[in-house]
Amino acid sequence: MTADDRALRALTEHVEQVALVDHHVHGTWAEDGDPVALANALNEADTEPLADPATAWDTQLGFAVRRWCAPLLDLEPHASVAAYTARRAELGEPEVARRLLGAAGVDAWFVDTGWSTGLTSPDGLAALGGGTAYEVARLETLAERLLPTLDDPGDLAETFAAHVEETAATSVGFKSVIAYRCGFGVDLDPPAPRAVAEAARRWADGVRDGRAPRLDDPTLIVSGLYAALRTRRPLQLHVGFGDRDLDLAAVDPLLLTPLLRRPEVRGVPVMLLHCYPYERAAGYLAQAFAEVHLDVGLTTHFLGARGVGAVARSLELAPFGKVLYSSDAAGPAELHLLGARLWRNAFATVAGGWVSSGEWSLDDAVRVASMVGRDNARRVYLGVDL
Ligand SMILES: [Zn+2]
């Protein structure tokens, strides 16, 4: 074996055994999924049931499921879709989840609990996959739960701020889906208290049977961001690729620049999630603003074999101490496994190439793998300095 082969093997072995911190993830299916539900879960962008579920399998993600998940269910790599779905049904959801989640090699799950229909709780996820679960609270969900309990919706801002402060005691961070609700092309300065009170009263007019309508008012959403910033906890923002409820053109992270310049953001970690196809813009922001961090979760498993490109682009302008691993898996445990599997594959390929060409040392590649896979998240969210 040449010295180059030995270096690549050492890097791959290290990347394989990094106990990951998945800093943005959701629960896995709590009940048995059927083949149609699985096919629909392999498409993120279309919010309608797929006209032809078979189309979901002829994709990078579909191929990656058959390549990497099939062997964990005792099938050959690239097993047919029919064989895969039959074996899945035979094993049942809890056993599929135990096998796939366990093989992801995740030590800590930071679970967004804002959308949890049919999914395991954070502890339920950790019980199946091992490791420890932590909660990340979604601001818009907190507000939607709070509104119907208020005597005067005009008090929303004050009550919400107190509620967020309390929630900070049990959450490692906050998440906003402003991308989905109004996009980033809105006024991101702190709204005046009177404007917030008026917007809250308008929103409360839509409450029916004790349930708030979906929060999509930019004034209230932006006011909520500032409430979260005051807690100093990391603030996660969905950026880029998601389902078609969002306007992809309005979620370019460069549109967040006015917010990132605000004094209220100073010293508060801002975590840009997913980022595709804006990962280069996110990398620029990570260099421009001390607070900005990014990941390419969701992107990695949807790009399958091309996840290599996304992981490489995440390691362009951004300082390596500000790039984090996440899966953004939700639902079938295939996604939790593939987030980890494809990130490990891609990191070893990308950094291995730089070690081979002499651009990076093996020691540096090993160190950056640990930073991105684990240590950056532990430092930013848990205050663990290594
Ligand atoms: Zn997510």
Side-chain angles (χ1 to χ4, degrees), residues 184-186 188 249-259 285:
F184 303 150
V186 296
L188 294 168
V251 295
D252 181 333
L254 296 176
L255 296 170
L256 293 169
T257 307
L259 175 69
L285 293 172

Side-chain angles (χ1 to χ4, degrees), residues 24 26 112 175 274 328:
H24 172 60
H26 306 261
D112 173 356
K175 154 102 182 273
H274 325 310
D328 189 34

Side-chain angles (χ1 to χ4, degrees), residues 168 174 227-235 263-269 380:
F174 291 98
L229 287 168
R230 284 194 290 275
T231 70
R232 319 296 290 167
R233 285 263 188 258
L235 176 61
E264 293 86 346
V265 175
R266 296 288 74 82
V268 184
V380 172

